Amino acid sequence: MDFDFAHYMLTERGKGKENQSVRSQSKEAYLKLLAETFNMNRSRILAFKNKPPTPVKLIPDEFYSSVHQSKPSKPLRRIPQMQQTPVRTLDAPDIIDDFCLNLMDWGSSNVLALALQNTVYLWDASNGSASELVTVDDENGSVTSVSWAADGQYIAIGLNSSDVQLWDSTANRLLRTLRGGHQSRVGSLDWKNHILTTGGMDGQIINNDVRAHSHIVATFRGHRQEVCGLKWSTSGQQLASGGNDNLLHIWDRSMASMHSRSQWLHRLEDHTAAVKALAWCPFQRNLLASGGGGSDGCIKFWNTHTGACLNSVDTGSQVCALLWNKNERELLSSHGFMQNQMTLWMYPSMVKIAELTGHTSRVLFMAQSPDGRIVATAAGDETLKFWNAFGTPEVKKAAPKAEHPGPFPHLRRIR
C-alpha cells in the first residue's frame, strides 16, 4: 500500500546493487537518507525499543490479603471444664448391657424414658420426678426398646417376646399391642407421624400404621441378622437401618410395599462391625452419619441421595451412639472400650473439641433434650448421667432493618 516505498524497491535498490563498486560518498549518503525517510528498517514493527515498562498495580496486594483475612474460619468452641463433667447422675440398676438394644429416649414433652429389665421408668426433666410406667410380665420377657411419638404423649415399647406395646403416658394406660410382625425380640423403633417402624432380631423391618386394625403396611427385608438401629430422615422420605450383619441400608418411603419385599435404595457395606449408631444431619439434606462397632470404630458420613461415602474417621473404639448438635455444626459420639468416653467433633473438619469422661463402662445409649442443650447417657456401669454437652446456643444479632426505599427508589429525593 506504500507506493513510494514500492517504487524505490523496484528501481533504485536494484540499481544500487549493480553499481555498488562505483558508488560515490555522496551517493551513499543520499541512499542512507532515502532509506531513513521511507523507513526501510521495518523488522521491529510492534516491538518495543526498550524493555516494556512494569505495569502499575492499581490495587495493592495488601488489599487482597485483608479481604481474605476479613472472614477467618470459625474457631473451635471452647468447652469450659465444668461442662466436661456430668451435671447430674442417677442410678440405673439392672440396665441391660446389650449393644443391639435401644433402651432410652427423650420425648418432646421433656420426659425421659428408660427401660431397666422388665420396667419402663419416666423421669420428668422439668421437676426431676420419676415414676414407673409399666412392668411387663416374665412371659413377655424384658423390654428391648423404647421410642416416643412426636407429640411426647404416646410411647412405643418393644419386647423380648416380639410384641410391641403402645402406651399413653399421660393416662398411664395401654392402648394396644402390635402382634404378628416379628418372630423374635424388637430391639429398635422409630416413628414417622402415625407410622411406627420396628426392627427385630429376625432381620425384618416393619411399618405399622397404629391407627389401622391391620397395622402392618410395609415390610423391608435386607438384613441377615438383628436390626440394631433405625432412623427416619427429618423429611420422612428416607429410612436408615443398621444391622448386626455390618450392613447399612437406605430405604425410600415411595418404594415401601405391603405385598412384596421392598427393595433398598442403597446397600452400604463399608463398615466391618455391627452398625447401631445412626444420625441424620439437621442442617444438610441427605447427610447421614453412621458408627461401627468394636472391630470397626469408624464414623462414616454418607450422601444418601447417591450412596457415596463422603468421609470416614477412625475413632479407635466402638461407636455406640451419635447425636448432632441442633444449634452448631457439631457431632457427639459415645464409645466403648477403652475410655468409655463421649467425643465432641467439629463438622466437617472432624477436629476434636472435647472428650467427656465419667462412665466406667461402654456408653450404649444417648438421648438429647428437646431444646438440644442437654445430653443424657446410660451405660453398662448402671448409671444415668446428664451433660451440658452442647451448651446454650449463641443468640444471633438481628440484622438491622433496611430503610424502605418507597415507590420510586431510582429517583433522588429533593432536600
Side-chain angles (χ1 to χ4, degrees):
M1 300 299 294
D2 190 340
F3 291 105
D4 291 331
F5 177 67
H7 180 267
Y8 169 78
M9 293 294 291
L10 292 172
T11 59
E12 299 300 329
R13 190 173 186 180
K15 294 178 182 178
K17 286 184 179 179
E18 295 172 1
N19 304 316
Q20 277 183 344
S21 58
V22 295
R23 283 181 184 175
S24 64
Q25 292 184 353
S26 60
K27 186 69 173 179
E28 290 288 347
Y30 168 74
L31 292 176
K32 182 178 180 181
L33 179 62
L34 188 65
E36 291 176 355
T37 303
F38 289 119
N39 192 19
M40 293 175 61
N41 185 17
R42 300 190 177 193
S43 61
R44 291 186 57 80
I45 294 176
L46 296 180
F48 291 102
K49 292 183 178 179
N50 301 316
K51 185 178 180 180
T54 303
V56 178
K57 291 187 177 180
L58 300 179
I59 303 176
D61 294 337
E62 290 78 6
F63 173 81
Y64 294 104
S65 61
S66 63
V67 169
H68 290 295
Q69 293 173 4
S70 63
K71 292 184 178 180
S73 57
K74 189 172 182 180
L76 291 177
R77 184 168 65 90
R78 294 187 62 184
I79 307 298
Q81 188 64 33
M82 61 180 299
Q83 286 184 220
Q84 300 183 37
T85 56
V87 296
R88 183 192 293 261
T89 300
L90 301 176
D91 290 328
D94 300 323
I95 190 170
I96 301 175
D97 188 357
D98 191 323
F99 181 78
C100 288
L101 303 185
N102 293 271
L103 303 179
M104 185 171 67
D105 195 23
W106 204 328
S108 60
S109 60
N110 208 19
V111 176
L112 181 80
L114 179 66
L116 302 176
Q117 293 290 339
N118 292 26
T119 304
V120 176
Y121 293 93
L122 303 180
W123 184 79
D124 192 332
S126 60
N127 55 30
S129 63
S131 61
E132 180 183 320
L133 176 65
V134 58
T135 298
V136 298
D137 53 35
D138 291 335
E139 182 180 350
N140 285 315
S142 58
V143 177
T144 52
S145 55
V146 294
S147 180
W148 286 101
D151 59 6
Q153 179 179 352
Y154 303 103
I155 186 171
I157 300 173
L159 302 176
N160 193 63
S161 64
S162 78
D163 293 346
V164 178
Q165 295 182 353
L166 301 180
W167 283 78
D168 183 342
S169 64
T170 304
N172 205 38
R173 180 169 63 94
L174 176 64
L175 300 177
R176 68 179 299 185
T177 301
L178 307 179
R179 294 188 174 94
H182 294 281
Q183 306 301 317
S184 54
R185 72 178 186 180
V186 180
S188 53
L189 304 166
D190 199 28
W191 289 86
K192 181 177 68 69
N193 300 325
H194 55 273
I195 299 295
L196 173 63
T197 304
T198 60
M201 184 180 269
D202 55 10
Q204 287 193 99
I205 301 170
I206 298 175
N207 278 354
N208 302 272
D209 189 338
V210 298
R211 307 167 303 175
H213 176 71
S214 301
H215 54 87
I216 300 176
V217 294
T219 301
F220 305 91
R221 294 184 177 90
H223 289 284
R224 298 185 292 267
Q225 296 184 36
E226 183 168 14
V227 179
C228 303
L230 281 176
K231 280 290 185 296
W232 279 101
S233 63
T234 306
S235 65
Q237 184 63 36
Q238 293 182 334
L239 172 68
S241 66
N244 199 39
D245 51 7
N246 310 343
L247 294 177
L248 171 62
H249 284 104
I250 307 298
W251 312 85
D252 192 274
R253 180 184 64 181
S254 61
M255 301 170 67
S257 173
M258 178 177 63
H259 303 290
S260 62
R261 170 178 170 174
S262 298
Q263 182 65 28
W264 56 79
L265 181 62
H266 301 294
R267 168 177 271 188
L268 308 171
E269 304 179 5
D270 293 36
H271 284 291
T272 58
V275 182
K276 174 192 176 185
L278 300 170
W280 291 93
C281 181
F283 54 80
Q284 185 171 334
R285 188 180 177 88
N286 296 324
L287 176 60
L288 174 72
S290 64
S295 60
D296 180 90
C298 290
I299 299 174
K300 296 183 185 294
F301 298 91
W302 308 89
N303 180 334
T304 59
H305 178 69
T306 63
C309 182
L310 305 176
N311 192 15
S312 181
V313 178
D314 188 353
T315 68
S317 60
Q318 181 183 50
V319 182
C320 302
L322 293 169
L323 286 176
W324 288 96
N325 188 339
K326 296 178 180 179
N327 303 302
E328 299 284 346
R329 290 177 178 263
E330 297 171 351
L331 180 70
L332 183 68
S333 57
S334 70
H335 299 271
F337 183 81
M338 297 181 50
Q339 293 182 314
N340 307 309
Q341 84 282 9
M342 284 82 68
T343 303
L344 186 61
W345 310 83
M346 173 176 279
Y347 183 84
S349 66
M350 293 305 287
V351 174
K352 287 185 183 180
I353 300 176
E355 286 194 343
L356 314 179
T357 57
H359 284 289
T360 58
S361 182
R362 57 181 180 174
V363 187
L364 290 170
F365 315 111
M366 283 203 303
Q368 193 172 12
S369 62
D371 62 6
R373 295 188 303 112
I374 306 297
V375 173
T377 58
D381 58 10
E382 300 186 345
T383 62
L384 172 63
K385 297 181 184 293
F386 297 85
W387 313 76
N388 189 14
F390 294 137
T392 304
E394 296 180 1
V395 179
K396 297 182 179 179
K397 295 182 180 179
K401 293 183 179 180
E403 184 180 355
H404 194 279
F408 304 106
H410 60 287
L411 296 180
R412 294 184 178 179
R413 294 181 179 181
I414 301 176
R415 296 182 178 177

